Amino acid sequence: MQNRFEGKVALVTGAGSRRGIGRATALALAREGAKVVITDIVEENVARVTSELNSISQAIGEVADVREKIAMLRVVQRTVESFGGLDILVNVAGLSRPTPFLDTTEEEYDLVLDVNLKGTFLATQAAVPAILERGGGSIVSLASVSGQRGGGIFGASAYSASKAGVMGLTKALARELTPRGIRVNCVAPSMVDTDIAGDLLTPERKVELARGTLMGRMATVDDVVKPILFLASDESAYLTGVTLDINGGTHLH
Ligand SMILES: NC(=O)c1ccc[n+]([C@@H]2O[C@H](COP(=O)([O-])OP(=O)(O)OC[C@H]3O[C@@H](n4cnc5c(N)ncnc54)[C@H](O)[C@@H]3O)[C@@H](O)[C@H]2O)c1
């Protein structure tokens, strides 16, 4: 077990889901010594994951919607008051919709873009002053292969656009913030076995998706968490503005 995050404070959004990338990231950060703050919109999930985290390290859970700037500012303020600062932000909160383009309502488009892209923007805007106060840190956001190749699995046009937006935002923030000590990167996973696709990820579909990779298997949550921790840690000290592909060879470009 490494201890790359001893003395660090990390904030992970969207960490409530039982089988999700956010919870696994938060737990992995805690196991390596970080004090961790998590957010999600489902109160009982926040409470459950916070208690899991507290058995490993010091942790706080906040019910907060990434679409609400005031909520994210409150989370960062509580983080700083409780743990003395903030070093790492991992933007995980997100949702996906498989709706074909012509059937996508304006409401659904707004929902997907607001959570995935605006939420990443607002959470980062809330966190950056505190990270600057510490003299720098690292931000990692969840993009998706869908933003690179135009969906094609479960995420359709709105999802794809939102994740392409996260990649552009990552580069723009890297330009502005890296000279001030904050590295900004994102990961672009292909389909991971979580609950994001709901009932659509059937056993048959999983076999089919595995065939579309060079690895012969779908990504596990752990396959995604390890690169996130790499980008959050000093091991990636010279990486910024990067989109790290985690796709098992699904998309080579
Ligand atoms: N699972 C995949 O195949 C896959 C692939 C590529 C990228 N991603 C991205 O990874 C991230 C995590 O996905 P996951 O598979 O763990 O999904 P998940 O559904 O298990 O977790 C997403 C979490 O975000 C939370 N959330 C939703 N809206 C929110 C809001 N407004 N404010 C705060 N939290 C909110 C949900 O409650 C949930 O706990 C997402 O951004 C997703 O787009 C997932």
Side-chain angles (χ1 to χ4, degrees):
M1 168 76 70
Q2 300 180 74
N3 250 356
R4 290 173 291 181
F5 302 104
E6 204 67 63
K8 303 285 185 193
V9 180
L11 167 58
V12 184
T13 68
S17 146
R18 192 180 293 273
R19 300 198 315 127
I21 294 164
R23 169 181 168 269
T25 300
L27 287 168
L29 285 164
R31 282 189 205 103
E32 288 206 41
K35 292 175 184 160
V36 182
V37 179
I38 61 149
T39 71
D40 208 293
I41 45 173
V42 186
E43 194 170 351
E44 64 186 79
N45 291 352
V46 171
R48 198 192 57 247
V49 176
T50 307
S51 111
E52 284 183 278
L53 285 164
N54 267 316
S55 67
I56 304 170
S57 179
Q58 289 181 62
I60 294 171
E62 284 274 319
V63 177
D65 191 320
V66 287
R67 293 171 293 178
E68 291 172 15
K69 185 171 180 173
I70 288 174
M72 296 319 298
L73 288 169
R74 167 176 50 81
V75 169
V76 172
Q77 190 182 348
R78 186 161 175 222
T79 304
V80 172
E81 281 167 9
S82 307
F83 294 150
L86 177 63
D87 305 282
I88 293 159
L89 168 67
V90 188
N91 287 305
V92 182
L95 45 78
S96 173
R97 292 289 181 273
T99 319
F101 174 60
L102 289 180
D103 298 328
T104 301
T105 61
E106 204 174 327
E107 288 71 27
E108 188 170 288
Y109 173 88
D110 284 344
L111 173 68
V112 174
L113 269 288
D114 281 354
V115 175
N116 294 356
L117 183 54
K118 188 178 176 188
T120 300
F121 185 95
L122 292 178
T124 305
Q125 210 175 40
V128 161
I131 303 178
L132 286 173
E133 197 62 31
R134 291 279 261 203
S138 177
I139 297 171
V140 186
S141 301
L142 268 291
S144 167
V145 71
S146 176
Q148 296 167 322
R149 49 169 237 169
I153 305 177
F154 293 116
S157 53
Y159 184 73
S160 184
S162 73
K163 293 300 184 180
V166 168
M167 290 184 251
L169 179 65
T170 297
K171 290 177 192 162
L173 295 181
R175 281 185 195 280
E176 273 197 48
L177 299 174
T178 307
R180 303 179 70 188
I182 305 180
R183 295 183 301 106
V184 189
N185 295 291
C186 64
V187 293
S190 56
M191 196 69 219
V192 190
D193 191 0
T194 70
D195 294 328
I196 196 166
D199 299 339
L200 296 175
L201 195 57
T202 59
E204 298 74 38
R205 192 76 174 99
K206 284 188 198 181
V207 171
E208 208 180 299
L209 288 168
R211 273 200 216 107
T213 73
L214 298 180
M215 303 284 178
R217 65 173 181 85
M218 273 178 65
T220 63
V221 165
D222 198 44
D223 290 325
V224 180
V225 170
K226 283 179 178 151
I228 291 174
L229 262 62
F230 165 69
L231 289 175
S233 78
D234 291 342
E235 285 180 13
S236 60
Y238 206 58
L239 267 63
T240 195
V242 160
T243 298
L244 194 57
D245 290 339
I246 312 173
N247 63 33
T250 309
H251 180 62
L252 301 177
H253 57 111

